[in-house]
Amino acid sequence: MRFAYVTYDGPDDDREVLLAAWRRAGVEGAAVRWDDPAADWDSFDAAVVRSPWDYILRRDQFVEWAHKVESGTRLFNPASVIERNTDKTYLRDLGVPTVPTHWIHPGEQVTLPHQAEYVVKPAISAGARDTLRTTDRATAETHARDLVAAGRVAMVQPYLDMVETEGETSMIYIGGRFSHARRRNAMLADVVPADHRAVPARDPGPDQFALAERVLAEVGEDLLYARVDLVRLPGGAPALIELELTEPYLFLSTTPGAADRLTTALLTRL
């Protein structure tokens, strides 16, 4: 069998780890840029979307690419999932507790709720790109106004202090089963570690497991991988901050056995 590791022209410390797991399973793997015009996607038995982290400015092109590739081979996760998950408006439709969000669409009046500190970001983004954290309401309104003027949907959320104390909890599921969890430092924290891999393992609480399982049940798709990012609201209840189903970093390089579990789950789906 032959698998494509869908990536980009940049660093990815999980890439060689998963390719090595494929080799151990007797699978030929190749790292291929998602936007490589010479790529013959039909020649692969499966294409696994892992690190196409430069798609943000070309999201429509990326979604079109996913549907095209899926017409010739198995794509993981599926194109329909990628299309929904690359626009954060999916958070409104899941029917689960999420971080309170004020949505502003192009053409709508920009009026922000009163809160102590704001996070303002576009609905299509990654890695905190075009995201602002501020205590100044006027500054937050200006940023939101700039986003919608550019034809983008703006998200306005409260900044949660817990991301700098407890941190976010990322729960990684492989083949529909819980694999491992990590404590993630929020990218907007006052101090962010230089090494994104330097995060401790975490044992999620029963309420976090319950919410993660509920979130995945709401998706209703057979997912090869999923990362459920949770925070705790001021009252202590867990809430979804992000559901990463497209190209999440899965901490494969720092989690023994995870790449092999991902390989096994992939093989059972072919």
Side-chain angles (χ1 to χ4, degrees), residues 17 21 24 174 179-180 252 254-264:
V17 174
R24 288 194 294 273
I174 293 175
S179 172
H180 54 284
L252 300 181
T254 57
T255 309
D260 293 307
R261 289 194 290 274
L262 185 59
T263 301
T264 298

Side-chain angles (χ1 to χ4, degrees), residues 58-134:
R58 297 176 285 163
R59 187 255 181 178
D60 290 344
Q61 180 183 340
F62 180 64
V63 170
E64 181 181 357
W65 165 86
H67 285 284
K68 181 178 180 181
V69 169
E70 194 171 67
S71 69
T73 190
R74 294 291 301 278
L75 182 68
F76 297 94
N77 283 320
S80 59
V81 170
I82 289 172
E83 183 169 5
R84 291 194 303 273
N85 189 245
T86 49
D87 185 332
K88 292 182 178 62
T89 55
Y90 71 80
L91 289 167
R92 298 179 303 185
D93 304 324
L94 282 175
V96 301
T98 62
V99 174
T101 303
H102 179 67
W103 303 88
I104 309 171
H105 290 258
E108 295 181 345
Q109 183 177 0
V110 177
T111 303
L112 271 57
H114 289 278
Q115 52 198 46
E117 193 164 7
Y118 298 86
V119 174
V120 184
K121 57 189 176 183
I124 298 175
S125 69
R129 187 184 183 95
D130 297 329
T131 298
L132 173 73
R133 173 190 171 189
T134 181

Side-chain angles (χ1 to χ4, degrees), residues 19 25 34 47 50 83-84 91 96 99 124 133 141 151 159 176-177 180 204 211 230 251 255 261 266 268 270:
L19 289 173
W34 72 272
R50 290 307 313 120
E83 183 169 5
R84 291 194 303 273
L91 289 167
V96 301
V99 174
I124 298 175
R133 173 190 171 189
E141 283 189 345
Y159 185 75
R177 298 190 176 194
H180 54 284
L211 179 55
L230 303 180
F251 305 97
T255 309
R261 289 194 290 274
L266 176 57
T268 62
L270 298 176

Side-chain angles (χ1 to χ4, degrees), residues 67-244:
H67 285 284
K68 181 178 180 181
V69 169
E70 194 171 67
S71 69
T73 190
R74 294 291 301 278
L75 182 68
F76 297 94
N77 283 320
S80 59
V81 170
I82 289 172
E83 183 169 5
R84 291 194 303 273
N85 189 245
T86 49
D87 185 332
K88 292 182 178 62
T89 55
Y90 71 80
L91 289 167
R92 298 179 303 185
D93 304 324
L94 282 175
V96 301
T98 62
V99 174
T101 303
H102 179 67
W103 303 88
I104 309 171
H105 290 258
E108 295 181 345
Q109 183 177 0
V110 177
T111 303
L112 271 57
H114 289 278
Q115 52 198 46
E117 193 164 7
Y118 298 86
V119 174
V120 184
K121 57 189 176 183
I124 298 175
S125 69
R129 187 184 183 95
D130 297 329
T131 298
L132 173 73
R133 173 190 171 189
T134 181
T135 57
D136 185 71
R137 187 164 180 258
T139 300
E141 283 189 345
T142 296
H143 188 58
R145 191 172 292 110
D146 290 342
L147 290 174
V148 297
R152 307 169 79 179
V153 176
M155 304 171 61
V156 183
Q157 298 174 326
Y159 185 75
L160 301 175
D161 292 336
M162 62 75 57
V163 300
E164 300 193 37
T165 53
E166 180 180 340
E168 297 180 22
T169 297
S170 286
M171 301 176 65
I172 291 86
Y173 285 75
I174 293 175
R177 298 190 176 194
F178 175 74
S179 172
H180 54 284
R182 289 289 184 274
R183 178 199 190 279
R184 293 180 66 239
N185 296 294
M187 301 188 73
L188 299 179
D190 292 330
V191 178
V192 180
D195 187 354
H196 67 281
R197 298 167 301 176
V199 294
R202 171 159 281 180
D203 294 322
D207 56 347
Q208 293 172 312
F209 272 112
L211 179 55
E213 297 288 347
R214 182 179 166 190
V215 167
L216 295 176
E218 287 288 334
V219 175
E221 297 266 5
D222 180 28
L223 303 170
L224 176 61
Y225 53 82
R227 197 183 79 201
V228 185
D229 294 340
L230 303 180
V231 294
R232 289 192 183 276
L233 299 178
L240 178 70
I241 191 169
E242 194 116 19
L243 174 61
E244 295 275 9

